[in-house]
Amino acid sequence: MKSRILLSGFVVALLFLVACSPKSLPKDTYRIQKQVAGNKGIVVCAHPLASAVGADILSQGGNAIDAAVAVQLALAVVYPGAGNIGGGGFLVYREAGGEATTLDFREKAPVAAHRDMYLDKDGNPVMNLSTIGHLAVGVPGTIDGIFEMFEKYSKLKNFSLLIQPAIDLASKGFRITEREADQLNEHRAQFLKVNHDNIPFVKETKWRKGDLLVQTELASTLERIKENGRGEFYEGQTAKLIVKCMAQNKGIITEEDLENYKSVWRQAVKGRYKSYKIITMPPPSSGGILLLQMLKMIEYAQISKLSFHSKEHVHLVTEAERRAYADRAAYFGDPDFTKTNLKHLLDYSYIKSRMKSYCLYQATPSSSIAAGVMPLPHEREETTHISIIDKDGNAVSLTTTLNGSYGSMAVVPGGGFLLNNEMDDFSIKPGVPNIYGLVGGEANAIQPGKRMLSSMTPTIVLKDDKLYAIIGSPGGSTIITTVLQIIMNLVDFELNPYDAVQAPRFHSQWLPDKIFLESSCLDYSTRSALKEMGHSIEERSKIGRVEAIVKYKGKYMGVADERGDDEAEAAR
Ligand code: DON
């Protein structure tokens, strides 16, 4: 017996040593920490190498914005499916002193874009035209956004230092994870269809975990951005490469489109949920307003009295979701083009009127739910998240995307970076769903220079006016309901931060009239009970990949989603 205990003690110690010593790991393995605590700063993002880059910048005295810039650039190299310089995103930033703001660096429709550009002569959508290839690309905002946040908030004021890790990762290469290998293999045919030159994402044999991915052209592009700054991307050699590649492939982005791109600082959307304050993203994301609408609806219906993942819980949340997403389809678009009375959508009497038809025992068919009544306007009318806190308490919640995995699949020849397929987030025809099944209308129709509607929901939560949580996720239309569930899990069901992130998730979005479930979500009897209430249920792949930092038992804890290679890293 004694020798057995000794032997198992020895095995445990050996496993511990292996787990703790990066040197002893085989070259193709990362030590991925899903949970860290610390008071010197934390970074949580989609790839362990990028988390390490961010934590290192914090350790060198950088603030949360310095780390965010370095992480975004590193993700553009090590997480090519969504990390990007050819896409766009949203930042929600709260300074330790309490000032909060948001930066919209969402892509824009090129000047030559028009509302029917993805329809054939009979007015029907042309398959894949808004999702694959050069016509699907919106004018990228990421590099402009990075320089905006750097110039306004950087503490280190040393851009070269922040971009260097990305340059090194691109030029020397890095070992890909199993997940990345699978993704690259899965997309091989599409890469070959869209690109005529050699690209680093395609090789003769299948990708395998541990293969080295070197991106020489991307390294040169990043090097030029280091030398020449923002102008390199929008007016310099990189701009010329983008325009040339557009012209050769029936794309429509011009020099003028790139020169005129500008990201916008926008007032954060702020609201209350119980005793918590929520700071989140305004349009052109629908995420912030929908999140607050749904929180208000479930608060009104007293969610706290229900038990976690019971039929009553899932039913209530689904009913709130279908009402909010019906509003999304009707009213949301780029605020520079479409004026929506956002205040009205969050008004208590409006929320009450929306929940009037909510029945405790019966699903309301989506066909009987339309958008709420809006008073007449006064005027005419594969994503990835980064959560960072620094040692002073400055907080970054940043979601960035190419839209689909690897965006349009188009790599800029000579530039080595992928371009987004964000144009599909417009409503290409009223009632025609986009890749996330979302429908829309006039407010989100294509217009030159307009930003396409988004669901990205970078969010910060305060408790007693102090930073409580930084939350965000990819997942297209499911982003908003994923962030909603994390807040419910923490606030209403008092799960610890790790369980709140890892708990199975469900999602509903008005149309299609379904509750989508991860396979491990809800037991058989709850599923049957929901069906009896009139809900239609469908299992689907994983929902969202959350990066969260949450104050728990007096400390900040970073939690990375087990659904991916995501990693939490603390500064030293
Ligand atoms: O902005 C949006 O809502 C979408 N382009 C986000 C895409 C996304 O989350 C893809 N990741 N799974």
Side-chain angles (χ1 to χ4, degrees):
M1 182 68 179
K2 206 171 162 191
S3 62
R4 251 223 204 132
I5 292 172
L6 269 176
L7 184 67
S8 52
F10 175 73
V11 171
V12 168
L14 194 68
L15 285 175
F16 181 78
L17 275 176
V18 169
C20 293
S21 157
K23 281 197 195 111
S24 63
L25 292 173
K27 68 180 185 332
D28 59 351
T29 307
Y30 293 103
R31 189 181 57 146
I32 297 184
Q33 300 179 115
K34 292 296 180 187
Q35 209 176 178
V36 293
N39 52 14
K40 293 187 181 159
I42 296 173
V43 177
V44 194
C45 79
H47 196 285
L49 290 172
S51 294
V53 165
D56 195 43
I57 294 294
L58 293 178
S59 304
Q60 291 183 52
N63 65 10
I65 290 289
D66 288 315
V69 168
V71 171
Q72 167 82 35
L73 289 164
L75 283 173
V77 180
V78 298
Y79 194 59
N84 68 82
I85 60 170
F90 300 129
L91 162 78
V92 175
Y93 182 53
R94 181 180 183 269
E95 288 183 278
E99 276 298 304
T101 188
T102 78
L103 181 65
D104 163 6
F105 54 100
R106 181 76 161 161
E107 300 90 327
K108 291 177 101 169
V111 164
H114 58 93
R115 69 185 291 138
D116 296 337
M117 63 187 277
Y118 298 114
L119 307 183
D120 64 16
K121 61 179 180 5
D122 302 320
N124 298 317
V126 179
M127 182 109 132
N128 295 337
L129 206 56
S130 64
T131 54
I132 299 175
H134 298 75
L135 203 57
V137 185
V139 184
T142 294
I143 290 297
D144 187 68
I146 280 178
F147 277 95
E148 272 293 323
M149 58 183 97
F150 171 76
E151 276 154 23
K152 193 154 179 196
Y153 289 112
S154 168
K155 185 173 163 203
L156 294 174
K157 308 267 182 234
N158 182 349
F159 192 79
S160 301
L161 182 80
L162 305 183
I163 200 172
Q164 195 58 48
I167 296 174
D168 294 343
L169 286 163
S171 60
K172 293 177 191 154
F174 68 97
R175 304 268 165 204
I176 62 170
T177 61
E178 188 165 7
R179 204 175 302 265
E180 190 65 56
D182 291 347
Q183 285 286 308
L184 289 171
N185 291 333
E186 197 180 300
H187 290 87
R188 179 188 165 88
Q190 288 181 337
F191 275 131
L192 287 172
K193 194 170 154 202
V194 174
N195 299 283
H196 312 297
D197 301 79
N198 286 335
I199 60 166
F201 308 117
V202 174
K203 61 183 182 79
E204 270 177 26
T205 53
K206 275 199 161 188
W207 288 99
R208 287 164 47 159
K209 166 183 167 184
D211 283 350
L212 194 67
L213 176 58
V214 180
Q215 298 170 76
T216 315
E217 289 185 343
L218 177 57
S220 305
T221 299
L222 294 170
E223 190 72 56
R224 290 195 307 276
I225 293 172
K226 179 172 108 176
E227 293 308 312
N228 307 327
R230 175 203 177 277
E232 168 59 35
F233 193 90
Y234 293 95
E235 289 161 34
Q237 190 185 336
T238 307
K240 289 189 177 59
L241 292 171
I242 296 173
V243 172
K244 187 173 163 204
C245 126
M246 285 287 147
Q248 288 173 344
N249 294 283
K250 297 191 182 140
I252 55 173
I253 293 178
T254 60
E255 273 174 29
E256 183 196 356
D257 284 316
L258 290 166
E259 269 169 31
N260 290 339
Y261 185 86
K262 198 83 205 87
S263 41
V264 189
W265 292 97
R266 300 189 190 274
Q267 220 174 38
V269 167
K270 292 182 183 168
R272 260 184 191 286
Y273 180 55
K274 301 189 167 169
S275 59
Y276 294 78
K277 278 190 189 154
I278 314 283
I279 304 171
T280 183
M281 194 65 207
S285 176
S286 59
I289 301 287
L290 256 68
L291 174 66
L292 287 174
Q293 273 194 315
M294 294 188 291
L295 285 170
K296 281 169 191 277
M297 288 181 200
I298 62 173
E299 186 181 17
Y300 170 76
Q302 302 195 321
I303 188 163
S304 300
K305 294 196 172 150
L306 310 178
S307 50
F308 183 64
H309 281 188
S310 61
K311 68 177 194 294
E312 293 83 4
H313 169 203
V314 180
H315 171 61
L316 168 59
V317 173
T318 303
E319 293 296 309
E321 287 170 348
R322 78 167 95 238
R323 285 160 177 80
Y325 277 77
D327 280 356
R328 183 192 195 278
Y331 297 131
F332 286 76
D334 182 346
D336 297 339
F337 285 70
T338 307
K339 293 286 168 241
T340 302
N341 188 343
L342 302 177
K343 255 197 178 142
H344 175 73
L345 293 177
L346 296 175
D347 192 80
Y348 182 69
S349 51
Y350 179 77
I351 297 291
K352 223 167 107 182
S353 75
R354 295 296 278 153
M355 288 303 273
K356 223 169 165 180
S357 55
Y358 164 64
C359 163
L360 269 174
Y361 314 103
Q362 192 67 38
T364 326
S366 285
S367 55
S368 72
I369 297 271
V373 178
M374 179 75 82
L376 283 178
H378 298 300
E379 301 162 51
R380 255 177 36 81
E381 323 239 341
E382 206 155 84
T383 309
T384 189
H385 183 80
I386 305 168
S387 288
I388 301 178
I389 183 171
D390 65 25
K391 65 176 173 25
D392 298 321
N394 300 302
V396 159
S397 190
L398 189 159
T399 314
T400 176
T401 188
L402 288 168
N403 193 24
S405 276
Y406 308 101
S408 62
M409 317 300 299
V411 178
V412 176
F417 57 93
L418 279 153
L419 292 165
N420 66 82
N421 62 345
E422 219 70 63
M423 291 295 284
D424 189 63
D425 272 349
F426 279 116
S427 173
I428 61 168
K429 184 182 175 182
V432 171
N434 72 0
I435 48 176
Y436 303 104
L438 292 166
V439 289
E442 194 52 42
N444 190 31
I446 304 173
Q447 283 177 263
K450 186 173 174 181
R451 291 181 156 94
M452 52 299 279
L453 185 60
S454 172
S455 302
M456 292 187 287
T457 316
T459 296
I460 290 175
V461 183
L462 310 182
K463 187 178 184 180
D464 304 324
D465 281 326
K466 297 204 177 76
L467 183 68
Y468 169 64
I470 307 169
I471 308 166
S473 173
S477 58
T478 69
I479 295 174
I480 319 172
T481 60
T482 294
V483 173
L484 171 73
Q485 284 171 89
I486 302 302
I487 297 177
M488 286 189 300
N489 293 354
L490 291 166
V491 171
D492 298 303
F493 300 110
E494 297 178 2
L495 301 190
N496 66 48
Y498 180 83
D499 290 348
V501 169
Q502 315 308 351
R505 292 195 268 268
F506 58 94
H507 168 78
S508 188
Q509 58 178 43
W510 180 50
L511 296 177
D513 187 350
K514 282 186 180 166
I515 302 177
F516 294 97
L517 299 175
E518 290 185 321
S519 58
S520 58
C521 190
L522 307 186
D523 57 26
Y524 178 77
S525 66
T526 312
R527 290 181 183 205
S528 303
L530 283 163
K531 282 183 199 159
E532 270 167 35
M533 293 167 101
H535 291 288
S536 159
I537 285 181
E538 189 174 310
E539 270 192 19
R540 54 154 281 170
S541 52
K542 290 174 183 149
I543 297 177
R545 277 171 61 175
V546 172
E547 324 292 355
I549 297 175
V550 183
K551 185 110 189 234
Y552 184 65
K553 296 191 174 167
K555 275 195 209 140
Y556 284 106
M557 286 194 56
V559 181
D561 209 312
E562 298 275 7
R563 291 166 179 80
D565 298 325
D566 309 50
E567 212 226 6
E569 191 93 29
R572 297 173 302 278

